[in-house]
Amino acid sequence: MANHSQLGFQDASSPIMEELMRFHDHAMMVALAICSLVLYLLTLTLTGKLSSNTVNAQVIEIIWTILPAAVLIMLALPSLRILYMMDEVNEPNLTLKAIGHQWYWTYEYTDFKDLTFDSYMTPTTDLPLGHFRLLETDHRVIVPTRSTVRVIVTADDVLHSWAIPSLGVKTDAIPGRLNQTSFSASRPGVFYGQCSEICGANHSFMPIVVESVPLANFESWSSTLPS
Amino acid sequence: MRGLLARRMKFHFIGAFLVSLGSATLYKFAVAEPRKQAYEDFYKNYNPMKDFEAMKAAGVLESAPPK
């Protein structure tokens, strides 16, 4: 989860999120270069140190057409690389359905058994000591570590969005439509997210918690649940 | 003062280019590279089972309660 006053991304817990972070650093470098260039020239202009009486500007016009085009290509190529990487068919070992309702999520594991459960936010009055306000749920999504998990996201009533920042996942839940995403948790742990599409009064109170555990523990957990 | 504007513009355009390149390089070596290195260092000797056992003992996992 994010700390209070945190500005940057949460620590990446999946390979895709690590790629996204790297791309963000790259894009930030480009943005910083352009902004500092503009600020420098603007300061010079406003202090009267830079002016122009040029009427024939052919060379500079060519330069400031080619350079921005090159910058855009520098941004587009890594961006498209990650976009296509996110859509790769990577043979997920587990498929999970996430169905958004007002105002809770239903999860279905139907690969081997018919496991279905609802996940409601733990109210603040019932929160045990040390747990996170507005982020904890009564039932968590348990997944095996370092295994690709496919998530099919849909909704039952209005638009919702299933998002977990540290795993680099955000997929809209649209009634009547199945959206697919996948992720692979790089390490064991608990990862928090919140509904990311306005869906009514309790939109801020339907969080998502994914718990990543080693495969053996995942199997023993799933065998203890009733079908 | 002959050619002052041309001289000054050339000087400042080169200066602006160097400032923008410098700020990008500063960001790369002050932020981007340390972040990459931090992830590399974290995963170099990472033991997921040890981490998992520590989380289990701390009682933070729903699917693996502490004994």
Side-chain angles (χ1 to χ4, degrees), chain A residues 70-149:
Chain A
V71 165
L72 286 174
I73 290 171
M74 261 176 60
L75 285 173
L77 290 180
S79 173
L80 288 171
R81 175 184 154 262
I82 297 175
L83 189 66
Y84 278 78
M85 194 188 289
M86 286 163 83
D87 262 349
E88 271 171 7
V89 173
N90 38 26
E91 293 178 17
N93 302 313
L94 174 69
T95 299
L96 161 64
K97 284 178 217 84
I99 302 160
H101 306 266
Q102 283 176 311
W103 288 281
Y104 62 98
W105 293 93
T106 299
Y107 298 105
E108 293 181 7
Y109 293 70
T110 46
D111 277 346
F112 27 86
K113 272 187 184 182
D114 266 330
L115 289 164
T116 306
F117 57 89
D118 295 337
S119 178
Y120 282 84
M121 182 188 87
T122 306
T124 308
T125 45
D126 300 342
L127 208 57
L129 209 60
H131 282 218
F132 303 121
R133 192 180 70 93
L134 308 184
L135 283 176
E136 300 286 356
T137 56
D138 54 0
H139 299 112
R140 294 174 171 177
V141 180
I142 315 292
V143 296
T145 311
R146 292 190 181 173
S147 295
T148 309
V149 177

Side-chain angles (χ1 to χ4, degrees), chain B residues 1 4-5 13 18 27-28 30 35 44-45 49-50 59 62-64 67:
Chain B
M1 290 239 300
L4 174 66
L5 180 61
F13 275 144
L18 288 174
Y27 184 89
K28 182 176 167 75
R35 203 200 302 275
K44 205 187 309 186
N45 298 314
M49 283 314 296
K50 187 172 162 207
E62 177 187 298
S63 62
K67 288 194 183 76

Side-chain angles (χ1 to χ4, degrees), chain A residues 8-24:
Chain A
F9 290 127
Q10 295 179 28
D11 286 342
S13 308
S14 75
I16 289 286
M17 191 59 205
E18 288 177 38
E19 291 287 340
L20 286 168
M21 259 186 170
R22 239 173 265 151
F23 175 68
H24 180 265

Side-chain angles (χ1 to χ4, degrees), chain A residues 194-214:
Chain A
Q194 293 175 290
C195 178
S196 297
E197 187 67 47
I198 188 79
C199 55
N202 287 344
H203 155 68
S204 313
F205 310 112
M206 48 182 292
I208 299 135
V209 187
V210 169
E211 187 175 294
S212 164
V213 292

